[in-house]
Amino acid sequence: MPAHERRRRLSPAERRAQLLSVGARLFAERPYEEVLMEEVAEQAGVSRALLYRHFASKHELFAAVYREAADDLLARSRFDPADTLVEQLVEGMDAHLDYFIANRHAVLTANRVLAGDQVIQTIITEELDALRGRLLGVLPLADERARQAVSQILRSWLVFVRVLVIDWLTEETCTRTELRDACIGAVLGALRPLLPTDPAPGWGHRGHTIGA
């Protein structure tokens, strides 16, 4: 970092944002156990004491980084009733896949290294619940019974997608487009029996690729 940037005084909010940015980059570049708080402080141009005043531990820093990422993904996963369901699913899947691929180490940390950590899993669960709620809001549901059934399917589908994508990040057995389309095809197939109209007429025949 240039000397003039090191010398510039930042407000607490600006400093926190800077530390989160440095942390996000390091957690994306390498496995969790290889990221040292001393390196975060050095690359941010601050003392370790100042870093620890903002984040008491590496775990706390990672949790803040992942919370910010989850909030950003929700903001970029736009669900607009004016779009078709497929268009909305594609947009949401693309936003998540873009982040997961660019931040492979961070995603694997959250879902494997810290799989039993309550704080991290709460962040993931809250994001999945928010996505489920948004999808419910744009689907044509006949009544409360249909809503409950669809909600249950969406909850299970989001967990399925999470597991499948994490496995794919470890071993890419298909292309990114094939992975995305397989995930979308799975939820369309599950929803069709419960919706009054086909959510994606003409989509789903063998060999079909979304956007092709």
Side-chain angles (χ1 to χ4, degrees), residues 89-162:
L89 290 170
V90 167
E91 184 174 22
M93 283 295 304
D94 278 343
H96 282 73
L97 287 173
D98 287 346
Y99 174 79
F100 289 172
I101 292 168
N103 298 272
R104 185 184 305 260
H105 285 301
V107 174
L108 290 176
T109 292
N111 288 276
R112 290 199 168 165
V113 178
L114 299 177
D117 184 89
Q118 184 175 356
V119 173
I120 302 302
Q121 296 316 304
T122 296
I123 294 170
I124 294 173
T125 298
E126 287 177 353
E127 192 215 350
L128 295 183
D129 283 346
L131 289 171
R132 177 168 54 90
R134 292 184 184 186
L135 282 168
L136 282 171
V138 299
L139 288 170
L141 302 173
D143 51 34
E144 183 58 27
R145 178 179 175 278
R147 180 181 176 84
Q148 291 178 0
V150 169
S151 178
Q152 186 176 53
I153 286 175
L154 290 174
R155 180 185 291 110
S156 298
W157 174 71
L158 288 165
V159 172
F160 160 77
V161 170
R162 174 187 171 193

Side-chain angles (χ1 to χ4, degrees), residues 27 58-68 119-120 123:
F27 287 127
K58 182 169 72 171
H59 173 274
E60 186 175 312
L61 174 61
F62 181 83
V65 165
Y66 214 71
R67 167 67 72 184
E68 187 172 69
V119 173
I120 302 302
I123 294 170

